[in-house]
């Protein structure tokens, strides 16, 4: 087996960041990354099992490339599907040589040595009681300006529909000291935005007892050189008022909170084992809306959970109208392996689920069309992410995590560097993005060029 590898990642930001750490570990072990399966000696799939048919997608992809087995290539399945399916993967796909859940990535160097020595069925499947986290200095970060830090792994919530507690183990937090060390290293490397990650990121509990979640946010936000700090995903049960206060008091903390509600019906929330009510959730919304800053709110929702009546669904629609989310990510219920919901009668026909999803997203689109209007005429600081040559626009992101497409007529350097920050006046609002013009008012909001990047000039 040549020491080259190709990795494909499915799923969430946690998986994407796990892959960055896996890539760094592989490179530290002497492997070189390639961008094509045909050129790789080792092919890895980092998998997700949150959505319906995730396992089938993985096995379909494996089947596509089993023809490469005869060329001496090795295959590895990582992540949630690996932990969920375990050694059954070897039965379904005998050409796979390694199966490793996310809690075993710290053992990758040893597993790689066994693979190189010729072992054919290597497993890294940890029990959910592990206290260990995957901390490594060899993270291969794909974005040189915005970087992730996983501060908590696993989940103890056991929502009826969710497979995460069974695939990622129990909640276990890193020490605040180790998080600060990693954040400082990132700042030294030129990162200006850091995003905390966790299945329930605000469930963070510093093992040393030094800092609360809100205090850790502030500590990183106060590091010299940091422009933005984000966090995702939060759970309503652990959402506390001091998080809102931290955002109000610390300009570098982004004014965006993703707080999944899943349903607007207390009865459905109880069936989901969410352990809060509609009223509990709305109280937290009131804290956010009372903040001095305009904090963007986004959420996740599930339609068609077993037993969801028309009246229950209508409560979700009224909740959306009351909160006025800036974005909603909604899905039809699908039973996941090993979860309590598997044993519930899935009594909602698929066509009803589809219709409810359509109604929900149409309502949310109406809300966004009017709610985004509050930004018209505002000047927002936008981080440059890419360019759209066909429209002669720069694509960026605001502190509220909204996409901003803007032109640079007043700027001599037509393409400001990716990772730089510009003040942009919002001239148009659309349901899914903002449109604007970079402005010359550097006094109101100084332009910031990226470390080591090109400077650009503003016409006064």
């Amino acid at each position: 087996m040549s020491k080259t590898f190709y990795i494909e990642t499915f799923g969430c930001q946690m998986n994407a960041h796990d892959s960055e750490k896996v890539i760094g570990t592989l490179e530290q072990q002497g492997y070189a990354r390639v961008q094509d399966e045909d050129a790789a000696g080792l092919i890895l799939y980092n998998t997700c099992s949150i959505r319906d048919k995730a396992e089938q997608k993985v096995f379909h992809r494996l089947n596509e490339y089993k023809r490469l087995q005869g060329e001496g290539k090795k295959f590895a399945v990582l992540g949630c599907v690996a932990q969920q399916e375990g050694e059954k993967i070897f039965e379904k796909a005998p050409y796979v040589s390694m199966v490793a859940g996310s809690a075993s990535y710290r053992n990758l160097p040893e597993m790689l040595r066994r693979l190189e020595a010729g072992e054919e069925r290597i497993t890294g499947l940890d029990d959910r009681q592990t206290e260990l986290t995957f901390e490594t200095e060899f993270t291969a970060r794909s974005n040189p300006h915005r970087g992730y830090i996983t501060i908590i792994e696993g989940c103890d919530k056991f929502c009826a529909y969710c497979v995460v507690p069974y695939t990622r183990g129990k909640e276990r937090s890193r020490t605040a000291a180790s998080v600060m060390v990693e954040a400082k290293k990132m700042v030294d490397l030129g990162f200006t935005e850091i995003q905390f990650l966790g299945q329930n990121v605000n469930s963070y509990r510093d093992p040393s007892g030094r800092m609360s979640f809100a205090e850790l946010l502030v500590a990183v936000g106060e590091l010299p050189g940091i422009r933005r700090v984000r966090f995702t995903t939060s759970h309503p049960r652990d959402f506390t008022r001091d998080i809102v206060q931290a955002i109000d008091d610390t300009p570098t903390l982004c004014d965006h909170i993703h707080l999944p509600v899943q349903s607007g019906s207390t009865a459905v929330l109880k069936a989901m084992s969410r352990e809060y009510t509609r009223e509990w959730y709305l109280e937290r919304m009131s804290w956010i809306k009372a903040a001095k800053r305009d904090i963007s709110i986004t959420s996740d929702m599930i339609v068609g959970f077993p037993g969801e009546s028309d009246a229950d669904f209508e409560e979700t629609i009224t909740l959306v109208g009351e909160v006025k989310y800036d974005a909603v990510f909604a899905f039809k219920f699908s039973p996941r392996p090993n979860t309590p919901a598997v044993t519930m009668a899935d009594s909602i026909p698929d066509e009803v689920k589809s219709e409810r999803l359509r109604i929900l997203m149409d309502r949310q689109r109406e809300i966004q069309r009017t709610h985004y209007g509050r930004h018209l005429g505002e000047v927002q600081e936008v981080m440059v992410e890419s360019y759209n040559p066909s429209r002669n626009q720069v694509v960026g992101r605001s502190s509220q995590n909204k996409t901003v497409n803007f032109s640079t007529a007043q700027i001599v350097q037509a393409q400001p560097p990716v990772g730089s920050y510009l003040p942009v006046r919002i001239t148009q609002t659309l349901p899914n993005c903002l449109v604007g013009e970079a402005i010359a008012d550097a006094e109101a909001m100084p332009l910031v060029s990226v470390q080591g990047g090109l400077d650009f000039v503003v016409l006064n």
Side-chain angles (χ1 to χ4, degrees):
M1 182 183 71
S2 74
K3 295 191 74 167
T4 53
F5 72 96
Y6 168 85
I7 186 167
E8 185 169 349
T9 305
F10 303 82
C12 64
Q13 289 171 314
M14 286 284 289
N15 264 22
H17 184 45
D18 281 347
S19 285
E20 290 182 332
K21 294 191 279 189
V22 168
I23 291 165
T25 302
L26 284 161
E27 290 176 340
Q28 194 270 336
Q29 293 295 310
Y31 285 75
R33 187 182 184 187
V34 296
Q35 299 302 317
D36 187 277
E37 302 93 338
D38 292 307
L42 174 61
I43 299 171
L44 307 102
Y45 296 105
N46 188 4
T47 62
C48 173
S49 60
I50 293 293
R51 302 294 170 221
D52 189 23
K53 299 181 180 177
E55 302 87 352
Q56 291 93 319
K57 290 178 183 177
V58 172
F59 288 113
H60 176 72
R61 188 60 54 87
L62 284 168
N63 195 53
E64 285 180 348
Y65 295 111
K66 70 178 180 181
R67 60 183 173 79
L68 300 173
Q69 182 188 19
E71 301 176 17
K73 299 180 188 297
K74 301 289 186 181
F75 294 84
V77 179
L78 311 178
C80 293
V81 172
Q83 186 69 36
Q84 175 184 294
E85 297 293 308
E87 295 191 358
K88 288 189 289 186
I89 291 175
F90 295 131
E91 299 169 15
K92 296 179 181 179
Y95 41 90
V96 171
S97 298
M98 186 166 73
V99 173
S102 59
S104 67
Y105 291 161
R106 65 187 181 280
N107 299 323
L108 265 179
E110 178 198 349
M111 289 190 281
L112 290 169
R113 285 191 288 272
R114 291 167 59 191
L115 191 65
E116 293 163 14
E119 281 194 50
E120 294 184 352
R121 291 194 169 188
I122 302 164
T123 57
L125 303 170
D126 277 314
D127 132 0
R128 77 171 312 276
Q129 295 306 316
T130 181
E131 297 283 355
L132 300 173
T133 57
F134 181 30
E135 298 178 42
T136 174
E137 59 182 295
F138 303 115
T139 303
R141 301 186 187 277
S142 57
N143 185 321
H145 314 293
R146 174 187 297 123
Y148 301 119
I149 298 179
T150 298
I151 66 169
I152 178 173
E153 298 180 29
C155 179
D156 289 341
K157 299 297 187 285
F158 289 97
C159 299
Y161 54 82
C162 186
V163 73
V164 167
Y166 308 95
T167 58
R168 284 187 171 268
K170 70 176 183 179
E171 289 178 0
R172 53 208 188 274
S173 300
R174 295 172 55 182
T175 64
S178 73
V179 173
M180 291 301 298
V181 166
E182 184 171 356
K184 288 173 182 174
K185 285 182 179 178
M186 291 172 67
V187 172
D188 291 342
L189 290 170
F191 287 87
T192 58
E193 181 176 312
I194 287 176
Q195 182 165 346
F196 287 169
L197 296 180
Q199 268 74 39
N200 296 309
V201 70
N202 62 321
S203 303
Y204 174 82
R205 298 292 182 269
D206 181 4
S208 69
R210 289 181 54 200
M211 290 188 187
S212 67
F213 173 66
E215 289 168 340
L216 183 59
L217 282 172
V218 172
V220 172
E222 291 178 344
L223 290 175
I226 282 292
R227 300 281 299 188
R228 290 179 176 177
V229 179
R230 301 186 186 277
F231 57 94
T232 194
T233 292
S234 298
H235 195 291
R237 281 167 54 188
D238 291 323
F239 191 82
T240 50
R241 246 179 167 153
D242 60 347
I243 298 171
V244 179
Q245 190 64 50
I247 294 172
D248 256 350
D249 294 343
T250 314
T252 53
L253 300 191
C254 289
D255 40 7
H256 169 231
I257 293 172
H258 185 69
L259 197 62
V261 65
Q262 305 304 357
S263 174
S265 162
T266 293
V268 173
L269 290 171
K270 183 177 181 180
M272 289 178 167
S273 300
R274 292 291 283 177
E275 296 190 11
Y276 57 82
T277 63
R278 175 190 177 104
E279 290 71 29
W280 169 283
Y281 184 87
L282 286 174
E283 181 183 30
R284 277 128 193 88
M285 292 296 99
S286 71
W287 298 345
I288 298 170
K289 290 176 180 292
K292 293 179 294 225
R293 297 172 69 179
D294 175 15
I295 300 176
S296 170
I297 307 170
T298 57
S299 191
D300 296 340
M301 295 183 184
I302 296 171
V303 299
F305 190 79
E308 181 188 67
S309 66
D310 289 342
D312 291 324
F313 175 65
E314 182 59 29
E315 288 194 72
T316 295
I317 297 299
T318 60
L319 181 84
V320 166
E322 185 170 347
V323 175
K324 293 184 171 54
Y325 293 103
D326 288 89
V328 165
F329 305 92
F331 308 91
K332 295 187 292 184
F333 168 76
S334 61
R336 311 308 305 131
N338 303 318
T339 64
V342 167
T343 64
M344 299 178 183
D346 191 1
S347 56
I348 315 297
D350 189 66
E351 58 269 24
V352 174
K353 292 179 185 177
S354 297
E355 178 63 8
R356 288 178 180 176
L357 183 62
R358 183 195 65 77
I359 292 170
L360 173 59
M361 296 317 295
D362 284 351
R363 178 69 179 113
Q364 177 58 29
R365 197 173 295 110
E366 291 174 10
I367 290 169
Q368 287 180 209
R369 186 173 285 112
T370 58
H371 197 46
Y372 274 35
R374 71 191 192 276
H375 299 305
L376 195 63
E378 288 181 354
V379 175
Q380 297 196 359
E381 182 185 72
V382 178
M383 182 185 188
V384 176
E385 293 187 336
S386 61
Y387 312 103
N388 186 337
S390 64
R391 295 186 177 182
N392 196 29
Q393 285 182 324
V394 180
V395 181
R397 191 164 301 273
S398 71
S399 173
Q400 289 197 342
N401 205 35
K402 292 184 173 75
T403 297
V404 182
N405 301 310
F406 62 96
S407 57
T408 56
Q410 298 185 61
I411 300 178
V412 172
Q413 172 66 42
Q415 288 194 344
V418 170
S420 57
Y421 296 81
L422 291 88
V424 174
R425 189 178 304 283
I426 305 304
T427 58
Q428 183 182 5
T429 63
L430 301 173
N432 294 309
C433 71
L434 304 174
V435 180
E437 172 72 40
I439 63 173
D441 188 5
E443 293 181 4
M445 188 179 294
L447 296 179
V448 180
S449 61
V450 298
Q451 183 172 319
L454 299 172
D455 289 328
F456 46 93
V457 182
V458 176
L459 298 176
N460 292 313

